[in-house]
């Protein structure tokens, strides 16, 4: 059931990233004389994200003797792929943190956005654990992997804040990239594995429950942040 639950969480996170990217205020960006909406940038980012995962998966599968600690072969490659995607997801969130600190009231808004993403990191860390532990990763190493997957948030936020005029137009594309990568992994890795291990009713219940639970948590955080600001 761990793969189905993790897949539901990743699908929810992907939906949230796409929604966030499309809802950004339009900045009148142009390409070849034509307006470039955030929806178009999100779509392009998603396609690039999926392409990135396909290329990365193909590259990783070329190393048959790949080893991560005591884990080798296919499981090691799958762990590396999933951790790469979760880390990319944190890069996109770090971009959002950096942008949120700019402008009037930016310090307050940025603080609340940072706090909300910090809370989001808890179920996302759980999703990482649900993938790693069943594949033989120790609890201590799983904790380290989960923490490392979120480290890009503060690392990326600082340069984005300093050079926001260069990064802001790419925020929606970055969110789309992370969403596309997570969507591909959820559908073609975790769901595929879950369907091999579970009956269809059990799978449907597990993925629906985790998706709805994650969406409920996200909605609660968004409402709380909106009231606070």
């Amino acid at each position: 059931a761990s793969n189905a639950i993790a897949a539901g969480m990743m699908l929810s996170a992907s939906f949230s990233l796409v929604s966030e990217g499309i809802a950004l205020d339009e900045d009148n960006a142009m390409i070849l004389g034509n307006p470039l909406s955030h929806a178009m940038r999100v779509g392009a980012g998603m396609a690039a994200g999926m392409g990135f995962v396909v290329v990365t998966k193909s590259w990783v599968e070329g190393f048959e003797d790949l080893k991560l600690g005591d884990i080798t072969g296919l499981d090691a490659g799958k762990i590396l792929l999933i951790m790469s995607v979760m880390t990319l997801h944190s890069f996109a969130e770090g971009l959002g943190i950096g942008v949120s600190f700019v402008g009037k009231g930016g310090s307050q808004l940025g603080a609340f956005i940072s706090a909300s993403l910090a809370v989001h990191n808890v179920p996302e860390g759980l999703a990482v654990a649900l993938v790693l532990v069943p594949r033989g990763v120790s609890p201590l190493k799983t904790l380290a992997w989960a923490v490392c997957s979120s480290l890009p948030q503060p690392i990326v936020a600082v340069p984005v804040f300093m050079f926001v005029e260069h990064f802001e137009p790419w925020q929606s594309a970055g969110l789309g990239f992370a969403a596309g990568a997570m969507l591909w992994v959820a559908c073609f890795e975790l769901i595929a594995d879950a369907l091999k291990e579970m009956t269809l009713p059990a799978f449907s219940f597990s993925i629906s429950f985790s998706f709805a639970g994650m969406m409920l948590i996200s909605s609660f955080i968004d409402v709380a942040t909106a009231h606070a600001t």
Side-chain angles (χ1 to χ4, degrees):
S2 60
N3 284 320
I5 294 172
M9 289 181 169
M10 283 196 178
L11 289 174
S12 174
S14 297
F15 179 82
S16 296
L17 290 170
V18 170
S19 300
E20 182 182 347
I22 292 176
L24 291 172
D25 294 334
E26 290 297 341
D27 53 8
N28 299 317
M30 307 284 286
I31 182 170
L32 300 176
N34 297 308
L36 186 62
S37 68
H38 284 300
M40 294 172 63
R41 278 174 270 185
V42 168
M46 289 185 70
M50 292 181 185
F52 170 83
V53 176
V54 171
V55 171
T56 302
K57 177 179 170 63
S58 178
W59 178 75
V60 169
E61 288 177 344
F63 296 90
E64 296 181 0
D65 57 347
L66 181 64
K67 185 175 181 179
L68 291 175
D70 298 328
I71 304 170
T72 59
L74 184 60
D75 278 342
K78 191 158 294 188
I79 289 172
L80 183 61
L81 180 66
I82 290 170
M83 291 309 304
S84 298
V85 168
M86 294 304 291
T87 303
L88 281 170
H89 165 234
S90 293
F91 268 100
E93 290 184 336
L95 199 158
I97 291 172
V99 170
S100 68
F101 273 96
V102 178
K104 185 179 180 179
S107 59
Q108 183 181 17
L109 176 61
F112 280 112
I113 294 297
S114 300
S116 69
L117 287 175
V119 177
H120 272 293
N121 286 341
V122 176
E124 288 169 3
L126 176 60
V128 170
L130 289 170
V131 171
L132 300 190
V133 173
R135 290 176 169 82
V137 181
S138 70
L140 186 59
K141 289 181 179 178
T142 297
L143 175 62
W145 278 105
V147 171
C148 288
S149 70
S150 294
L151 282 179
Q153 288 181 6
I155 293 173
V156 171
V158 174
V160 169
F161 172 74
M162 295 173 65
F163 305 102
V164 66
E165 68 273 10
H166 300 294
F167 285 98
E168 191 170 14
W170 298 98
Q171 183 179 0
S172 51
L175 293 169
F177 187 97
M182 294 181 72
L183 180 64
W184 198 99
V185 167
C187 292
F188 296 103
E189 294 290 333
L190 299 179
I191 290 177
D193 286 348
L195 287 172
K196 296 175 184 176
E197 304 164 351
M198 308 171 66
T199 62
L200 187 58
F203 163 79
S204 300
F205 173 79
S206 297
I207 194 170
S208 300
F209 181 81
S210 64
F211 180 88
M214 189 74 167
M215 291 300 299
L216 186 63
I217 292 171
S218 296
S219 297
F220 175 79
I221 294 171
D222 290 342
V223 170
T225 302
H227 281 306
T229 54

